Amino acid sequence: MDIEAKISAAKGEPGQWNPPFCGDIDLEIRADGSWWYLGTPIQRPELVKLFARVLRREGDKYFLVTPAEKVGIKVADAAFVITDADILDPALPSQRVRLTSNIDESFELDANHRLEVRGDASNRKPYVHVRNDLWALLSRSAYYRLAADVESLPEPDDGFGIRSNGLWFRLL
């Protein structure tokens, strides 16, 4: 049984679990998307994917939530990092942008997975909504891949962006 099936079989879906808070643990997601436990990087991708599946954000705090317990963790910036970007059907009005995260999740930019540029003029960063108030920072290489195909935004917006699934997303 794969990780997804094991989690789904554990008393419903993760979003429905509401166990008691058991305290914080020394687990951190660093700004580069790496996961660290007790000051040591977690080397097993399957374990990181399992933890990512039960990751939840409530306000500014992050938790790993199982049917039995809820523990707090630290997240330096965003929960995930977008490591790759592909533009599908670039010559067509139906152009789509497929993104891949550091935990091998792929999805397209659309109304549910929107791109937002945040920060002040001196420190602007692009983020993509992944799920349930969890966001991914666009890596530099993914950002430049999209910037290579940037277009002028339609009126009344000004600036530059990228099209995906019939929507415009500001990039610059």
Side-chain angles (χ1 to χ4, degrees):
M1 185 181 283
D2 69 358
I3 290 173
E4 296 288 324
K6 287 178 184 177
I7 291 172
S8 293
K11 300 182 184 176
E13 291 296 317
Q16 300 169 347
W17 299 339
N18 194 21
F21 178 67
C22 299
D24 294 328
I25 61 171
D26 188 9
L27 192 142
E28 176 184 7
I29 303 173
R30 296 198 173 169
D32 66 358
S34 62
W35 292 58
W36 292 65
Y37 180 65
L38 297 175
T40 303
I42 299 174
Q43 299 293 332
R44 293 182 51 212
E46 296 83 10
L47 188 56
V48 170
K49 289 176 187 179
L50 174 65
F51 287 152
R53 180 74 168 95
V54 297
L55 182 63
R56 187 183 298 174
R57 180 177 173 190
E58 297 174 5
D60 291 334
K61 297 185 184 226
Y62 292 83
F63 303 92
L64 297 181
V65 181
T66 70
E69 63 185 8
K70 175 181 179 179
V71 294
I73 69 167
K74 296 176 191 164
V75 177
D77 187 356
F80 309 110
V81 174
I82 298 299
T83 57
D84 197 13
D86 292 310
I87 299 178
L88 310 173
D89 302 323
L92 300 176
S94 60
Q95 170 177 299
R96 301 177 334 272
V97 175
R98 182 178 50 221
L99 304 172
T100 304
S101 75
N102 61 316
I103 59 166
D104 294 327
E105 285 187 51
S106 289
F107 51 87
E108 293 181 6
L109 276 180
D110 60 20
N112 294 319
H113 302 98
R114 60 196 180 279
L115 176 87
E116 292 181 6
V117 180
R118 299 179 186 162
D120 59 32
S122 66
N123 189 26
R124 296 181 58 76
K125 295 181 185 178
Y127 295 88
V128 177
H129 181 254
V130 178
R131 66 176 177 277
N132 303 326
D133 204 24
L134 295 174
W135 292 78
L137 176 66
L138 237 64
S139 68
R140 186 173 301 224
S141 60
Y143 176 83
Y144 285 134
R145 172 66 185 100
L146 295 179
D149 290 302
V150 75
E151 300 176 48
S152 294
L153 291 170
E155 297 285 336
D157 292 321
D158 59 347
F160 298 92
I162 190 117
R163 289 179 291 121
S164 184
N165 286 295
L167 301 171
W168 284 92
F169 299 94
R170 180 178 300 282
L171 192 60
L172 302 174

